[in-house]
Amino acid sequence: MGHFVTGIITTEADANEVASVIPFKYFHKINQGYVIFPLTDDLIDDRISPPLNFCFDEFTYLSKELSEMLLKASQDKYILYLETEYFGGEGCQSVIVYRNHEVVFGPAKSESGSISDALEFIGVSVDAGHHDAFQSVGLGSFRSSEELLDNA
């Protein structure tokens, strides 16, 4: 089974303000007061004017243009951008966190753990019965960004 999620995470309290800065309006509530804006490559292509400059070795879809939008939206709030790509237990994950117009965590890419570390950095706690912050916040509850968008 695969896990292919690209998205932006922030607090539920900050979601509408973030949505006013970025070109993605749909977000899905996850656990502990957070939301995820699910992204797909088609959605990114449709909402950000080309040409896109891909300057991060750690990411497939994070362009300089999207990163600049996230930097702008990060005043007084954490904004976490993530990508996962797993199939049959093999793959990797990438993450970066912005706050106050700066990168404050990452960019990081690993086989596992970097997203959980970033989630804990922004305040997600590991709930009893969960392996890590990734599971606690509910990111393991869906398999793809498309699944989240289809449920909108």
Side-chain angles (χ1 to χ4, degrees):
M1 189 177 295
H3 195 271
F4 300 95
V5 175
T6 299
I8 299 162
I9 293 178
T10 194
T11 65
E12 191 174 343
D14 291 328
N16 288 325
E17 188 176 341
V18 170
S20 73
V21 177
I22 63 174
F24 313 104
K25 304 307 175 206
Y26 171 72
F27 56 86
H28 180 81
K29 292 180 185 180
I30 52 179
N31 299 334
Q32 298 188 23
Y34 290 88
V35 300
I36 184 168
F37 291 80
L39 306 178
T40 64
D41 55 341
D42 289 338
L43 189 59
I44 292 168
D45 288 345
D46 289 346
R47 303 285 170 88
I48 301 176
S49 300
L52 298 180
N53 298 294
F54 295 95
C55 55
F56 296 96
D57 292 336
E58 297 85 0
F59 299 97
T60 301
Y61 303 109
L62 182 62
S63 65
K64 179 181 177 190
E65 293 77 10
L66 177 54
S67 181
E68 288 173 357
M69 289 177 196
L70 298 175
L71 281 166
K72 181 179 177 184
S74 72
Q75 181 63 43
D76 298 324
K77 67 188 70 54
Y78 287 111
I79 297 181
L80 183 151
Y81 174 87
L82 66 93
E83 295 179 6
T84 68
E85 186 173 333
Y86 290 99
F87 187 77
E90 299 291 323
C92 64
Q93 55 183 249
S94 303
V95 66
I96 190 169
V97 178
Y98 303 91
R99 182 173 174 90
N100 291 326
H101 312 293
E102 294 181 350
V103 173
V104 295
F105 184 99
K109 182 175 186 175
S110 66
E111 289 181 13
S112 69
S114 56
I115 293 175
S116 283
D117 292 343
L119 287 166
E120 288 184 49
F121 180 82
I122 68 169
V124 173
S125 59
V126 179
D127 293 334
H130 289 102
H131 174 70
D132 57 18
F134 187 94
Q135 293 297 323
S136 292
V137 83
L139 289 174
S141 299
F142 44 86
R143 307 318 279 157
S144 69
S145 296
E146 287 83 359
E147 177 185 342
L148 284 167
L149 290 168
D150 287 346
N151 292 328

